[in-house]
Amino acid sequence: MNIKNSFLVAASLLVLGSCARHPGETVRRGTLYNNESNVDSEGYTFFKRVHEKALFEMAFAKYIQSIPASAEAKELAAKVAETYEPMIAELAGLASEYSVVLTERTEPDFVVPHHFETDSLGTFDNAAGYVAHVQHEQGAILEQFERLTRNTNKKLQEYALEKVPTVKAVFAAAGGQEDHGAHH
């Protein structure tokens, strides 16, 4: 074996060894440094989108509950908060099982969309806009859960099947209706 081949073998071992798990490490280096996960792309997309939307909707619902808004908006916000508060922790726990790194936003990071801010008197008169917003976002979240029901991972399928009725209830409370004849 000449020096060139020896160098290639050494370089290959170095590269392959850097991705392996070394003694004392809890996860592989590829997982730590390359964002590798133990779930397919559909599951990865589900975790990222639903977790981020759930965090935003939860913070937005708390905001709506804290300002003078209509009873309809506050009731819907309470239903959203009741649905997503436990789900955020469940998603984070499930994602960590599959090595999916989720953003950890806190409420100070929440910024109210400008068209939902209170007016100069501190009143909120955009209840219909909030309901439409919730309906749209719940439709997007429901779509992600329905996709997950067809995932190849049985544990994720079971989780989605368990949560779909809850998400559908919030979607229906916001006035959303399932389009049974739609082709996605």
Side-chain angles (χ1 to χ4, degrees), residues 56-78:
F56 180 82
E57 293 304 313
M58 180 66 197
F60 198 14
K62 285 183 177 180
Y63 168 75
I64 294 296
Q65 290 176 317
S66 70
I67 62 172
S70 71
E72 177 188 14
K74 285 191 177 221
E75 184 179 316
L76 183 58

Side-chain angles (χ1 to χ4, degrees), residues 13-157:
L13 289 174
L14 181 65
V15 169
L16 292 175
S18 68
C19 294
R21 185 182 305 182
H22 295 283
E25 292 182 342
T26 57
V27 294
R28 291 180 52 237
R29 289 185 180 186
T31 303
L32 288 174
Y33 301 120
N34 299 332
N35 292 327
E36 290 178 3
S37 67
N38 299 327
V39 70
D40 62 359
S41 61
E42 195 71 34
Y44 182 84
T45 301
F46 165 80
F47 282 122
K48 289 293 194 176
R49 287 188 181 161
V50 172
H51 186 258
E52 188 162 324
K53 285 185 181 292
L55 285 173
F56 180 82
E57 293 304 313
M58 180 66 197
F60 198 14
K62 285 183 177 180
Y63 168 75
I64 294 296
Q65 290 176 317
S66 70
I67 62 172
S70 71
E72 177 188 14
K74 285 191 177 221
E75 184 179 316
L76 183 58
K79 190 159 184 74
V80 168
E82 177 186 316
T83 300
Y84 290 109
E85 191 164 23
M87 194 181 293
I88 290 169
E90 291 171 1
L91 286 169
L94 199 55
S96 68
E97 285 181 39
Y98 293 102
S99 301
V100 177
V101 179
L102 299 175
T103 56
E104 292 187 23
R105 292 194 181 150
T106 56
E107 288 187 36
D109 293 337
F110 172 73
V111 176
V112 178
H114 71 314
H115 54 283
F116 288 114
E117 291 178 347
T118 56
D119 62 14
S120 60
L121 300 174
T123 57
F124 177 77
D125 63 353
N126 197 358
Y130 176 68
V131 171
H133 166 81
V134 171
Q135 181 181 347
H136 177 267
E137 294 302 314
Q138 294 311 302
I141 292 171
L142 182 58
E143 180 183 352
Q144 289 295 316
F145 271 100
E146 287 177 343
R147 285 180 181 210
L148 196 65
T149 62
R150 298 182 300 270
N151 194 284
T152 55
N153 185 314
K154 293 290 184 193
K155 187 171 182 178
L156 294 180
Q157 280 181 4

